[in-house]
C-alpha cells in the first residue's frame, strides 16, 4: 500500500502495521536514514482507500513525525 500525505504527495510504502504504527519499507528512507525502517503513528491516518493510506497531514509534515524503531523522531 502507498502512503500519501493530505497534499497528495507520496510518503512511502507500507511494509506492515506494528501495533499503532505503520512500518514503512526500507527503500523509502533517504539521506542519513537510508536502509532503516521508519514508522508513522496510525493517528495520522485520515482514510484507507483501496491500496492507498491517506494521511491527515501534508507529506512534509508527516515525515517530521516519522519514528525509527526506537520510538525517537527521525531527524537528519
Amino acid at each position: 500500500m502507498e502512503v500519501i500525505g493530505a497534499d497528495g504527495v507520496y510518503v512511502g510504502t507500507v511494509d506492515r502495521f506494528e501495533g499503532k504504527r505503520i512500518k514503512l519499507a526500507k527503500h523509502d528512507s533517504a539521506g542519513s536514514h537510508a536502509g532503516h525502517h521508519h514508522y508513522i503513528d496510525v493517528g495520522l491516518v485520515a482514510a484507507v482507500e483501496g491500496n492507498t493510506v491517506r494521511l491527515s497531514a501534508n507529506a512534509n509534515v508527516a515525515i517530521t513525525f516519522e519514528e525509527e524503531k526506537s520510538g525517537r523522531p527521525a531527524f537528519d
Side-chain angles (χ1 to χ4, degrees):
M1 297 179 83
E2 288 190 339
V3 179
I4 306 295
D7 53 357
V9 175
Y10 176 82
V11 173
T13 303
V14 174
D15 184 335
R16 67 176 153 254
F17 289 85
E18 290 187 359
K20 295 183 178 187
R21 300 185 305 170
I22 298 170
K23 183 176 185 179
L24 297 178
K26 284 184 184 179
H27 64 79
D28 289 325
S29 300
S32 64
H33 295 285
H36 297 91
H37 286 286
H38 290 94
Y39 298 79
I40 295 178
D41 189 280
V42 295
L44 290 177
V45 174
V48 177
E49 302 168 349
N51 217 20
T52 303
V53 176
R54 298 203 178 271
L55 302 177
S56 59
N58 288 344
N60 64 337
V61 174
I63 291 170
T64 65
F65 287 110
E66 282 186 353
E67 300 177 346
E68 292 192 41
K69 190 170 185 167
S70 65
R72 296 182 322 212
F75 300 110
D76 287 41

